[in-house]
Amino acid sequence: AEAVIVKMLHLDLVALASEKDAALERLRSLGAVHIDFSHACGAGVAAARGELEDAGKAVRLILKARGKDRDCEIRPAGVAQVLAIDADRAKLSEAAEALRREIAIYAPYGDFDPALAKKLIDSGVDLSGVAELPAKLPAMRLSKMREKLARIENRIAIDMAKIAMCDEKAILAQHPSLSDALEFAAAMETMGEQGKLAFVSGWIPEPKTGKLRAAARENGWGALLREAEDGENPPTLIEPPKIFRPVKALFEGLGIAPGYSESDVSVPFMCYFSLFFAMLVGDGAYGAIFLAATLLARRKLPKAWFTLLCVFSCATVLWGLLSNTWFGAALPFAKEWPTARWLAGEGAEPGREYDNMMFLCFTIGVTHLVLARVWSGISKINSLSCVSEFGWAGIIVFMYVLTNNIVGIFGGVPAWSCWMFGVSFLAVFAQAKGIDKGMLFLNTMSVLGDIISYVRLFAVGLASVKVAQNFNSMAVGLALPVWIKWLPLALILLIGHGLNLAMAALSVLVHAVRLNTLEFSNHKGISWAGYAFKPFAKTKE
């Protein structure tokens, strides 16, 4: 099955104004129409948004109050009750802070009696050396202030305990309905009225139009469907093959979507992202940790994310097997594996140990970029512009050869690649227009930078391995007796590899995403300027 961007049709729907609520309920039950709610900001929307935000605030307060104590007694409580308790706690906290400041002022003078101090002042005793006392006397003795502060702090603790005992799961269970209420309020505001009629516009996937027509006949709606016109920007709905469908969750998490008129690149995105993930993390043991954590969190993870993380983790474990890298060390029995020896550059001349890894990165880069250009060329096969796309593919291959020659992996630039470059350059030049002709040289040289950019897979992965090795050496090299050494050794390894794991995850977010959304996408013509199709539908609980 081919990955495609589903065709969208513009919908204008008309219903009786007296049946507006029922029409929106029925439309929501279809779960097929994307409606733009961005301009909905009336009182109904504000009220619904406030309820949703209050529920979120209540859950955060409960979790914060409970902290790490997960065994406390849980009691049912509503959002209003939680917020009321927190409001009382906030007032008490202000009172406690004011009392602490007052105590700090008078503490240096001891537990004196304010009434006696006033009598002394009234009788003419000079207390000018005690500046704060003549200016303002406290309402009570220092000991009484401290007792009052203790009572307030006790009431604050009681409020925190009450909040901690509230059932956040019951509130979270209401979250879908609150989200739905907000969206329905926005739909009510978006659906305009004129006389006895109500109307709303949106976008619907072409395969869903049958259900809409049936609903229109059943409910007496008027529905006008048409194709998108120039200047309109329909939402993007991608339909990858089932095995690659989890990548939609990754797109959603990154907040990206191809434009409606662009291509669905979900299949190569997921394949290459898995490869980049494995090489950037660079350690099979780290992959095993990711996999174990994913399996443990299976019930809490959405199905798509569980699948994605399993794929990425398994790819990393496989890379560890190929490179024989486990917590920065090599398994003795796997040192003679051909892949491990080749990736490690065994037998290479001094200073050339990393040639094989760089060659691999450049090769991955050329396949990635050539795929983008050839794909574009095939999609434009009925137009002369395909000549330019295939020409760029030839230029990419030449720059790949040139890059390997520059770093000393190849012994020279073969004649066939020069001829390929010449023909390809002329093909691109012939199709270029206006300023593109003047920029062609710079654009050609930028391809060299694109190929070199893939060396980050090697550099970041190597850095991860080296950091792991340094922590291992630091831990093992501790000059301590064995009976004392084990604890600092364990701490160094735990902290060191923990930090390295976190840095590896961060590098994936930076570099693996960049190579897909920048280098590959630039050559494929993907701007990621689209927005995802989100139907007006009830939240699945």
Side-chain angles (χ1 to χ4, degrees), residues 156-490:
I156 292 173
I158 291 172
D159 279 347
M160 291 295 288
K162 288 179 180 178
I163 294 174
M165 289 189 294
C166 294
D167 187 0
E168 82 282 3
K169 292 182 180 178
I171 297 175
L172 286 172
Q174 301 172 10
H175 188 275
S177 61
L178 292 173
S179 298
D180 290 342
L182 173 59
E183 191 170 64
F184 193 83
M188 285 289 289
E189 187 176 323
T190 302
M191 193 172 193
E193 294 185 36
Q194 187 169 357
K196 295 183 178 182
L197 298 178
F199 51 88
V200 69
S201 297
W203 296 94
I204 182 169
E206 189 177 42
K208 301 286 187 179
T209 55
K211 290 184 177 180
L212 176 73
R213 289 191 175 97
R217 287 192 299 268
E218 179 184 343
N219 295 275
W221 300 337
L224 174 63
L225 294 169
R226 61 169 175 80
E227 295 192 3
E229 297 176 348
D230 292 341
E232 291 184 324
N233 185 26
T236 302
L237 173 61
I238 60 175
E239 285 296 340
K242 187 174 182 180
I243 191 174
F244 295 100
R245 206 156 293 168
V247 79
K248 294 171 68 174
L250 181 58
F251 288 168
E252 183 179 347
L254 295 172
I256 59 175
Y260 176 70
S261 59
E262 297 172 350
S263 299
D264 178 7
V265 294
S266 53
V267 173
F269 195 108
M270 183 170 174
C271 292
Y272 278 92
F273 194 95
S274 301
L275 176 60
F276 299 159
F277 188 105
M279 295 182 68
L280 289 166
V281 175
D283 193 293
Y286 291 174
I289 291 174
F290 284 135
L291 182 59
T294 301
L295 294 174
L296 287 174
R298 179 172 186 173
R299 294 184 178 180
K300 296 183 179 180
L301 287 172
K303 184 178 179 181
W305 274 109
F306 173 76
T307 303
L308 278 176
L309 293 174
C310 282
V311 170
F312 299 156
S313 302
C314 290
T316 309
V317 172
L318 178 60
W319 178 258
L321 290 170
L322 294 174
S323 61
N324 190 23
T325 308
W326 306 89
F327 287 121
L331 299 177
F333 64 84
K335 286 184 177 180
E336 298 302 316
W337 288 359
T339 54
R341 297 185 61 187
W342 187 84
L343 291 172
E346 288 190 14
E349 298 177 5
R352 311 298 305 183
E353 298 87 355
Y354 300 135
D355 281 5
N356 289 346
M357 274 298 303
M358 287 195 294
F359 171 72
L360 177 62
C361 293
F362 296 147
T363 303
I364 291 171
V366 74
T367 62
H368 205 201
L369 301 183
V370 167
L371 170 63
R373 288 296 182 176
V374 171
W375 185 355
S376 293
I378 293 173
S379 65
K380 300 175 181 177
I381 200 67
N382 294 324
S383 169
L384 282 176
S385 58
C386 72
V387 175
S388 177
E389 298 294 343
F390 292 135
W392 278 113
I395 291 174
I396 292 169
V397 172
F398 172 77
M399 290 300 178
Y400 163 72
V401 174
L402 182 62
T403 301
N404 280 285
N405 179 64
I406 290 173
V407 300
I409 297 174
F410 290 174
V413 180
W416 64 264
S417 64
C418 296
W419 281 103
M420 174 182 283
F421 174 76
V423 173
S424 300
F425 188 88
L426 289 175
V428 175
F429 184 82
Q431 291 295 312
K433 296 178 181 179
I435 194 172
D436 288 341
K437 286 186 183 291
M439 295 292 293
L440 184 57
F441 177 76
L442 290 177
N443 291 337
T444 300
M445 294 308 298
S446 72
V447 174
L448 181 66
D450 290 342
I451 294 290
I452 294 174
S453 181
Y454 283 80
V455 82
R456 71 183 66 231
L457 298 172
F458 156 66
V460 175
L462 177 64
S464 176
V465 172
K466 291 298 182 183
V467 168
Q469 290 175 346
N470 286 337
F471 276 112
N472 292 344
S473 300
M474 189 187 307
V476 175
L478 290 173
L480 295 171
V482 176
W483 61 278
I484 297 177
K485 184 177 181 179
W486 69 271
L487 180 57
L489 183 148

